[in-house]
């Protein structure tokens, strides 16, 4: 997150397009607003458009406006969001949801600062900075033919990757304190604290919904709390580990599938008289599982060790044993 803050401050004064990449709920809109607020365009408008919330025809009209009579229901001229964002910043959330037709128009705006309203031939010029966001891998979308490569490079002048909350548990106490104070003020109640047990549950939870999910559960806890301190029973059952979240079940299923496939492959490729089959299968599964979890943990050994249920020293020994130490010995 320190890197996110540094890049945000560094890129804000420029005119470069920015692409924010991260899971839903990681705070992409907050970063977009920070880029706008720290730029020379701060006195101009900040316009947000959720590209995944509208159909193609409605989104085109929303972005570029339309003229009266251009389609059924167009009873007046309408100014689009790009016009409204003139001298300011437009934030295009879920940019991967746009159609090929809209991607062509977006590319023209980025390259030339020009477009036409729907149903009009008059060309309009705008001075608008574009900040886009996605929770998908756009390079994979390009390979699948769903996203234009030229538009990707125009949007991705500067890319900022926002890590999921599960990768930065050290941020959780500060975020919790911030949200508790905010919701106490909003609900006109005296300040309350968070018990050590409740905070431990919050720190251990996997947060598939990221900061947005944390914010929601903190608000819930503040509303339900009848004491001067939030207790663990003010938290949802899944945060307390009583119910496994769908996201965690999915990741567990991925690992189970990996292990099952490795076992089947090892057994089917072994001879009937082969010795030490148990040790060979266990060794191969262990190596592949460590590689899989380490890659899924972005090479962070302390996180991988926690997910594997072993300490970091044990993981380090296993990496050395399997000859993986040189490629994956990244700092915690």
């Amino acid at each position: 997150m320190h890197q996110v803050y540094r890049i945000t401050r560094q890129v804000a004064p420029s005119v470069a397009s920015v692409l924010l990449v991260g899971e839903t709920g990681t705070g992409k809109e907050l970063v977009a607003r920070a880029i706008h607020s720290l730029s020379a365009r701060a006195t101009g408008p900040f316009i947000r458009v959720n590209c995944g919330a509208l159909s193609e025809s409605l989104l085109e009209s929303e972005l570029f406006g339309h003229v009266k009579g251009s389609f059924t229901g167009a009873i007046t001229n309408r100014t689009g969001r790009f016009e409204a964002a003139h001298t300011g910043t437009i934030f295009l959330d879920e940019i991967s949801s746009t159609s090929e037709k809209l991607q062509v128009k977006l590319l023209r705006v980025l390259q030339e600062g020009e477009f036409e309203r729907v149903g009009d031939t008059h060309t309009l010029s705008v001075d608008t900075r574009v900040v886009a966001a996605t929770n998908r891998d756009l390079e994979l979308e390009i390979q699948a033919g769903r996203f234009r490569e030229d538009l990707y490079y125009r949007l991705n002048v500067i890319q900022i990757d926002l890590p999921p909350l599960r990768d930065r548990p050290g941020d959780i106490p500060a975020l919790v304190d911030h949200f508790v104070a905010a919701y106490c003020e909003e609900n006109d109640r005296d300040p309350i604290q968070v018990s050590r047990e409740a905070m431990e549950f919050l720190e251990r939870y996997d947060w598939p919904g990221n900061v947005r999910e944390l914010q929601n559960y903190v608000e819930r806890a503040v509303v339900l709390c009848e004491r001067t301190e939030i207790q663990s029973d003010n938290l949802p059952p899944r945060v307390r580990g009583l119910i496994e979240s769908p996201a965690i079940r999915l990741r567990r299923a991925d690992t189970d599938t990996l292990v099952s496939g490795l076992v089947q492959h090892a057994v089917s490729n072994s001879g009937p008289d082969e010795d030490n089959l148990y040790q060979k299968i266990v060794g191969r599964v262990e190596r592949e599982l460590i590689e899989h979890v380490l890659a899924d943990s972005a090479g962070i050994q302390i996180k991988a060790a926690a997910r594997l249920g072993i300490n970091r020293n044990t993981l380090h020994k296993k990496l050395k044993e399997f000859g993986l130490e040189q490629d994956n010995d990244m700092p915690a």
Side-chain angles (χ1 to χ4, degrees):
M1 288 305 296
H2 284 295
Q3 184 179 13
V4 170
Y5 303 146
R6 179 182 61 79
I7 297 175
T8 298
R9 288 191 295 267
Q10 187 175 357
V11 73
S14 73
V15 296
S17 299
V18 180
L19 179 64
L20 306 175
V21 180
E23 295 178 8
T24 299
T26 49
K28 295 187 291 294
E29 183 175 347
L30 292 176
V31 174
R33 289 184 180 276
I35 290 171
H36 173 72
S37 298
L38 294 171
S39 73
R41 297 173 178 267
T43 56
F46 177 86
I47 304 296
R48 177 186 180 272
V49 182
N50 187 337
C51 298
L54 300 171
S55 65
E56 178 184 348
S57 58
L58 290 176
L59 181 57
E60 183 178 13
S61 174
E62 185 77 10
L63 289 172
F64 304 108
H66 62 251
V67 295
K68 179 180 179 180
S70 56
F71 56 85
T72 303
I75 57 176
T76 61
N77 292 342
R78 177 176 178 176
T79 299
R81 295 300 183 92
F82 270 98
E83 286 182 79
H86 183 62
T87 72
T89 304
I90 188 166
F91 174 51
L92 303 177
D93 200 4
E94 296 187 35
I95 189 68
S96 58
S97 301
T98 54
S99 67
E100 183 176 359
K101 176 184 175 182
L102 279 179
Q103 289 173 29
V104 172
K105 295 192 73 169
L106 288 171
L107 180 62
R108 184 184 173 200
V109 175
L110 283 164
Q111 289 180 331
E112 304 170 15
E114 296 179 346
F115 66 93
E116 289 84 34
R117 291 179 178 176
V118 176
D120 198 5
T121 58
H122 178 64
T123 299
L124 299 173
S125 297
V126 289
D127 174 20
T128 303
R129 184 183 193 174
V130 175
V131 177
T134 181
N135 57 10
R136 299 182 190 175
D137 187 330
L138 290 187
E139 292 188 358
L140 293 180
E141 294 295 301
I142 291 169
Q143 293 176 15
R146 292 188 292 264
F147 203 83
R148 293 180 61 98
E149 188 173 13
D150 47 6
L151 177 59
Y152 171 70
Y153 290 123
R154 291 296 302 184
L155 290 170
N156 194 31
V157 177
I158 302 293
Q159 178 171 318
I160 300 178
D161 296 293
L162 278 78
L165 187 56
R166 62 181 172 273
D167 286 352
R168 45 190 179 103
D171 290 351
I172 290 175
L175 288 167
V176 170
D177 290 344
H178 168 74
F179 290 135
V180 167
Y183 286 118
C184 282
E185 182 178 354
E186 185 175 304
N187 289 279
D188 195 26
R189 63 173 299 170
D190 293 335
I192 57 177
Q193 304 299 315
V194 180
S195 71
R196 182 63 253 170
E197 182 184 36
M199 185 64 78
E200 287 175 354
F201 277 123
L202 293 170
E203 290 175 329
R204 287 201 300 264
Y205 183 57
D206 202 57
W207 298 111
N210 293 294
V211 179
R212 188 175 298 152
E213 184 182 16
L214 174 64
Q215 181 177 358
N216 176 271
Y217 287 164
V218 170
E219 181 179 13
R220 175 187 188 273
V222 169
V223 171
L224 294 179
C225 182
E226 297 178 341
R227 292 151 289 194
T228 59
E229 189 177 65
I230 292 174
Q231 303 294 328
S232 58
D233 59 3
N234 297 132
L235 303 175
R238 67 177 50 186
V239 175
R240 290 178 281 154
L242 303 179
I243 300 176
E244 194 172 57
S245 74
I248 295 175
R249 285 200 299 271
L250 181 60
R251 284 197 288 274
R252 192 186 304 279
D254 287 342
T255 301
D256 291 344
T257 300
L258 171 70
V259 172
S260 176
L262 287 169
V263 171
Q264 291 177 15
H265 177 78
V267 172
S268 62
N269 286 276
S270 63
D273 300 324
E274 188 169 341
D275 295 331
N276 298 322
L277 182 59
Y278 174 81
Q279 291 297 332
K280 289 179 180 179
I281 290 178
V282 169
R284 179 169 180 180
V285 169
E286 191 174 21
R287 176 193 171 105
E288 294 289 343
L289 181 60
I290 288 173
E291 280 191 298
H292 178 76
V293 173
L294 194 62
D296 195 48
S297 303
I300 302 173
Q301 289 185 13
I302 193 169
K303 179 185 173 186
R307 293 189 62 188
L308 289 165
I310 59 179
N311 62 49
R312 192 182 176 205
N313 288 335
T314 301
L315 176 60
H316 189 78
K317 291 177 183 177
K318 292 292 183 182
L319 292 175
K320 187 175 182 179
E321 176 185 341
F322 294 129
L324 302 173
E325 187 178 26
Q326 183 174 359
D327 293 335
N328 294 294
D329 191 16
M330 295 180 66

